[in-house]
Amino acid sequence: MAVAPARRGPEPGPPGLPECWSATSYEGAARAAILAYKERGAVGLAGVLAQVLAFTVLTALGAAAGAGWARGPFAVVPVPSARRALRVRGHDPMGRVAVLVARHLVASGVRAEPWAALRQARRVADQAGLSSTQRAANLAGSLCVAGRRKGPPAPSAVLLDDVLTTGASLTEAARALRAAGLRVPLAATVAATRRRS
């Protein structure tokens, strides 16, 4: 997988979408690795995907070095899978990766802690085949921050997901976190599609 972190996002991006960085395009080895990890139980790939995502986050933070938010600390928040998908897969792909990404960030001197606080507030339809407008409508209001005894570990969050397509999932996740009082300046994904809205 050729890793070249860069700002990648839909054009135009939905309102509320954080700055998006991806390690690579969703094709070839990246696509194969993501599908094997998520859908075929190749959980051993979690470490590789976490390294790729951590490198992407560090590159984004380096590019934003002048911004106050780039110093951290950060809550590293995975975009959750639907409950049904978690049952079928038998594991929480992004939750596992978020823990590893936070460890890599801490080892690199960035104050970060995983925070799997997002939950499905309601059921959503399968996103496959939906347009960007349909995806946004499907996901609107679908996530919330679960009742946590302990609040967020940091005032800013870095969102993590596997693939950026239209930005609807990341926008909804950012909305839910902002409603809970967090800043969400950055989202990082392993890959991004070349699709344009």
Side-chain angles (χ1 to χ4, degrees), residues 13-184:
L17 180 67
E19 183 172 312
C20 293
W21 281 69
S22 294
T24 190
S25 296
Y26 186 60
E27 57 193 14
R31 183 177 185 276
I34 290 167
L35 290 174
Y37 175 59
K38 280 180 62 178
E39 309 299 341
R40 297 187 190 103
V43 294
L45 289 170
V48 172
L49 297 177
Q51 285 179 332
V52 165
L53 268 173
F55 180 61
T56 301
V57 171
L58 291 168
T59 303
L61 293 178
W69 64 264
R71 290 189 291 274
F74 298 103
V76 178
V77 182
V79 174
S81 298
R83 290 184 195 108
R84 182 180 51 201
L86 290 174
R87 282 192 303 272
V88 169
R89 292 175 182 144
H91 70 114
D92 178 5
M94 291 313 299
R96 180 179 305 208
V97 167
V99 169
L100 299 174
V101 167
R103 285 183 194 162
H104 286 297
L105 294 176
V106 168
S108 297
V110 176
R111 291 176 296 157
E113 187 175 325
W115 197 52
L118 290 174
R119 298 286 182 266
Q120 299 286 328
R122 63 171 178 79
R123 294 184 79 169
V124 296
D126 187 349
Q127 297 276 87
L130 297 181
S131 70
S132 59
T133 303
Q134 292 167 325
R135 283 177 182 236
N138 183 41
L139 293 175
S142 66
L143 294 177
C144 65
V145 171
R148 295 284 193 177
R149 292 180 191 179
K150 181 180 162 190
S156 295
V158 172
L159 272 170
L160 300 182
D161 208 356
D162 55 351
V163 180
L164 171 64
T165 304
T166 65
S169 296
L170 291 170
T171 299
E172 173 57 18
R175 182 212 54 81
L177 291 170
R178 288 177 184 132
L182 280 85
R183 292 187 305 263
V184 189

